[in-house]
Amino acid sequence: MRTFWVTLLATFLTLPCWAALSSQNDWKLHKDTEGIQLYTLEVPGQMLKSFRGVMQIKAPLRQVAAMLADVPAMPQWFFLMEEARFIKGEHVEDSYVYLAMKGIWPVHPRDAVAHILVRQDPITLSIHVNVVNEEGIMPRRDGYVRVPTFQASWRLTPVTPTHTEVEIMGSADPGGMIPIALANFLVTTLPERTLKKMREHIAKPEYQDLNTIYNKNPKLRELADKMQFPQ
């Protein structure tokens, strides 16, 4: 198992990090409200801007990681998420999930299959989650536009044993026609509402006693056992 984990870490570190290609100075602060900083980034040749949201949450790293890994519960807090479920992969840290997003009139709902890779920095203990769409895993679904390209990342960084910094970044070609006004609205609204709802959701009882989550999905316990958490 140790060999698998080291191999996964090495593989992840060789992946091109799209966010790192741009200097932090390239991100433009769009909004700073209620403890959440929202940034946008112009990407040449791309209709939609990339987005980045950062906040601190009053919860330990272990708790935040368990909530993020509880994929079927994501529609309860991720903005416009209609369905999320594991579809393939023996281990959570290298798996595939199906994601379906609600549409906002006049735009059709979207869906995608995402490849998830998870690693932890052994020095900072930050947990990095890389999400990239993958074609050819599932047939297209009637009534949904399959997203041709998207990539996203989460970074969970322990600030203290009881506080965690959460960062989400994303970039996508949603496919089809989307009004520019709606596209610009979504770029900043999605991370803002998602982070706010995440902050509320993690206070639920099932995330206070993680055995509730681990008993529902033992693979999440396996993932937690491979990681280090601040004491």
Side-chain angles (χ1 to χ4, degrees):
M1 180 58 69
R2 179 177 175 81
T3 301
F4 166 79
W5 190 246
V6 171
T7 301
L8 178 61
L9 174 59
T11 300
F12 191 96
L13 289 174
T14 61
L15 291 174
C17 178
W18 61 272
L21 296 178
S22 298
S23 164
Q24 291 290 330
N25 294 330
D26 292 336
W27 289 96
K28 305 300 183 185
L29 181 64
H30 173 79
K31 194 175 184 181
D32 186 346
T33 180
E34 298 183 48
I36 298 174
Q37 294 79 49
L38 300 169
Y39 302 85
T40 60
L41 176 68
E42 296 276 0
V43 181
Q46 184 172 295
M47 181 184 75
L48 294 184
K49 298 176 182 178
S50 296
F51 65 80
R52 174 174 172 243
V54 183
M55 72 171 179
Q56 282 196 24
I57 192 168
K58 189 178 179 181
L61 179 64
R62 181 188 295 272
Q63 187 176 336
V64 181
M67 177 186 158
L68 187 59
D70 188 15
V71 169
M74 287 185 72
Q76 298 178 37
W77 56 270
F78 197 103
F79 182 56
L80 293 181
M81 185 76 72
E82 180 181 71
E83 181 183 358
R85 56 187 168 89
F86 287 107
I87 59 173
K88 183 180 177 182
E90 184 178 350
H91 304 283
V92 174
E93 63 267 27
D94 186 1
S95 59
Y96 295 82
V97 299
Y98 173 75
L99 305 171
M101 305 291 289
K102 300 174 185 177
I104 298 179
W105 189 89
V107 175
H108 290 291
R110 260 63 177 170
D111 73 350
V113 173
H115 185 194
I116 310 294
L117 284 173
V118 183
R119 71 171 178 91
Q120 183 177 37
D121 187 301
I123 305 301
T124 66
L125 302 187
S126 292
I127 296 173
H128 301 256
V129 183
N130 195 59
V131 186
V132 181
N133 70 298
E134 185 90 16
E135 274 294 350
I137 305 293
M138 285 182 63
R140 300 199 173 197
R141 182 176 173 185
D142 289 344
Y144 289 76
V145 175
R146 179 61 52 88
V147 175
T149 305
F150 88 89
Q151 49 191 342
S153 68
W154 291 87
R155 183 177 65 186
L156 312 178
T157 304
V159 179
T160 71
T162 59
H163 287 72
T164 304
E165 182 180 86
V166 178
E167 178 185 70
I168 179 176
M169 292 191 288
S171 178
D173 172 4
M177 296 296 295
I178 295 184
I180 294 298
L182 179 58
N184 290 332
F185 166 78
L186 290 175
V187 162
T188 53
T189 302
L190 186 147
E192 180 179 16
R193 295 198 182 178
T194 294
L195 291 176
K196 283 183 179 178
K197 196 69 176 179
M198 182 182 193
R199 193 163 54 190
E200 297 171 6
H201 189 75
I202 204 166
K204 291 191 172 184
E206 57 262 40
Y207 298 108
Q208 310 306 309
D209 177 8
L210 294 182
N211 285 323
T212 304
I213 301 299
Y214 295 155
N215 291 337
K216 184 171 64 174
N217 187 346
K219 289 186 178 183
L220 300 188
R221 187 191 300 274
E222 293 175 9
L223 177 60
D225 287 344
K226 298 170 187 173
M227 294 187 167
Q228 301 179 59
F229 298 99
Q231 299 301 316

